C-alpha cells in the first residue's frame, strides 16, 4: 500500500484546534501549523499534500495588515482548489476559502453564537454526514462575520442571519459553523476569556446546557462528515 501524503492543518488560536477532524484523520498523517503572523511562511508544496484543513480564529479574514500570514493561507487555498486538492475550511477557514475564490467578507453583520439550526439546501459528500437537502440540523455557531458565495460555488447550507453557512467549490468545502467540537472542547471555549468576552453568564450557561443536549447527536454526525472528507484525502493518496 502506497504511503498517503500528509494533510496540512492550519490553526489560528491555541484553543481552536482540529478537534474531531483529527479523529477522522487517525490513519492519515497530518501536521498542525500556525503561520498567522509570518509574512512569508514556508508552506509545503501542494504536490506533497493529500489535503488542507483551515480552522477558525478570532481575527478578521481580510486583516492581512495585522496578520500577514493570512495572505499566504489564501494563496494556498486558491492553488489547492485549482489543483483539485481536498480542502476543508471551518469558520475563519471557511471565510478565507471564500476570499481566496474572489468573494467578499462582511464584518459584524451576522452574529451567531450558540446552538441553532442551519438549512441544508444541497446534497454534498461531506455535508451529507450532518444532513441532506431539506434537513435542518442543529449545529454550533460562533461568528459575527460572513462571506458572499464565491462565483461558481454551490451553496450547501444557510440560515436567516448568515445566508452562506456552507458551500462547495470543486475539491473544497467551507463550513461557517463548528462541527469539530466535542464536550471537552466546548468547555475549553466556554472557559477561555477571549471566546466569552462580552457574553453574560446566563448566555454561557445556556450554551453549556445546549451542548449537553445536542452534542451526543452531533458527534456521530460529525464523524460521518469528517470521515467523508478523510476518504477524499485517502483517494488523493
Amino acid at each position: 500500500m502506497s504511503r498517503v501524503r500528509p494533510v496540512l492543518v492550519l490553526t489560528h488560536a491555541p484553543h481552536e484546534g482540529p478537534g474531531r477532524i483529527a479523529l477522522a484523520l487517525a490513519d492519515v498523517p497530518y501536521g498542525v501549523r500556525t503561520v498567522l503572523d509570518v509574512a512569508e511562511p514556508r508552506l509545503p508544496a501542494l504536490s506533497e499534500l493529500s489535503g488542507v484543513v483551515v480552522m477558525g480564529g478570532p481575527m478578521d479574514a481580510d486583516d492581512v495588515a495585522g496578520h500577514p500570514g493570512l495572505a499566504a493561507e489564501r494563496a494556498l487555498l486558491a492553488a489547492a482548489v485549482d489543483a483539485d486538492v481536498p480542502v476543508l475550511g471551518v469558520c475563519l477557514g471557511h471565510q478565507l476559502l471564500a476570499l481566496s475564490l474572489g468573494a467578499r467578507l462582511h464584518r459584524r453583520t451576522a452574529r451567531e453564537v450558540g446552538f441553532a439550526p442551519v438549512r441544508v439546501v444541497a446534497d454534498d459528500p461531506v455535508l451529507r454526514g450532518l444532513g441532506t437537502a431539506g434537513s435542518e440540523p442543529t449545529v454550533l455557531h460562533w461568528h459575527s462575520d460572513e462571506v458572499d458565495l464565491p462565483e461558481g460555488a454551490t451553496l450547501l447550507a444557510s440560515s436567516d442571519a448568515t445566508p452562506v453557512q456552507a458551500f462547495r467549490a470543486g475539491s473544497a468545502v467551507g463550513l461557517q459553523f463548528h462541527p469539530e467540537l466535542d464536550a471537552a472542547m466546548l468547555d475549553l471555549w466556554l472557559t477561555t476569556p477571549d471566546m466569552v468576552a462580552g457574553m453574560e453568564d446566563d448566555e454561557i450557561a445556556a450554551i453549556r446546557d445546549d451542548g449537553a443536549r445536542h452534542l451526543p447527536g452531533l458527534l456521530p454526525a460529525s464523524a460521518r462528515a469528517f470521515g467523508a472528507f478523510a476518504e477524499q484525502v485517502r483517494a488523493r493518496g
Side-chain angles (χ1 to χ4, degrees):
M1 186 176 186
S2 60
R3 184 179 69 88
V4 178
R5 287 171 284 188
V7 172
L8 174 65
V9 180
L10 293 171
T11 62
H12 310 91
H15 50 274
E16 296 206 46
R20 293 184 61 80
I21 301 170
L23 293 179
L25 297 174
D27 63 342
V28 177
Y30 66 90
V32 179
R33 290 193 58 189
T34 301
V35 299
L36 184 65
D37 296 324
V38 181
E40 296 184 10
R42 296 183 61 182
L43 294 170
L46 289 170
S47 60
E48 301 173 2
L49 300 173
S50 63
V52 178
V53 176
V54 185
M55 301 307 305
M59 57 289 304
D60 295 315
D62 60 356
D63 186 12
V64 174
H67 304 285
L70 294 175
E73 292 190 38
R74 285 165 54 178
L76 179 71
L77 288 168
V81 174
D82 284 344
D84 204 32
V85 175
V87 171
L88 176 62
V90 178
C91 199
L92 175 64
H94 158 94
Q95 297 166 8
L96 289 167
L97 175 62
L99 290 179
S100 79
L101 299 174
R104 291 180 57 200
L105 177 78
H106 303 278
R107 295 187 181 186
R108 320 295 182 262
T109 57
R111 185 182 187 274
E112 292 181 289
V113 178
F115 288 87
V118 292
R119 295 184 298 274
V120 179
V121 299
D123 287 325
D124 180 80
V126 172
L127 192 62
R128 188 181 300 131
L130 294 165
T132 55
S135 64
E136 295 191 7
T138 294
V139 296
L140 177 64
H141 305 265
W142 212 296
H143 71 101
S144 59
D145 295 351
E146 62 177 322
V147 290
D148 293 333
L149 183 68
E151 184 176 356
T154 299
L155 180 67
L156 300 180
S158 183
S159 69
D160 290 344
T162 308
V164 183
Q165 283 280 2
F167 69 88
R168 163 73 66 179
S171 61
V173 63
L175 306 175
Q176 180 60 73
F177 47 92
H178 289 277
E180 79 277 14
L181 269 75
D182 57 15
M185 195 169 176
L186 178 61
D187 184 66
L188 173 63
W189 283 22
L190 293 175
T191 55
T192 297
D194 287 347
M195 294 297 290
V196 298
M199 294 172 61
E200 300 293 336
D201 289 346
D202 58 349
E203 185 179 5
I204 296 170
I207 294 172
R208 182 174 285 109
D209 291 344
D210 285 346
R213 183 163 61 255
H214 294 298
L215 282 175
L218 275 173
L219 295 183
S222 68
R224 292 191 297 269
F226 298 141
F229 174 74
E231 283 298 320
Q232 295 174 354
V233 165
R234 294 186 196 97
R236 175 171 168 80

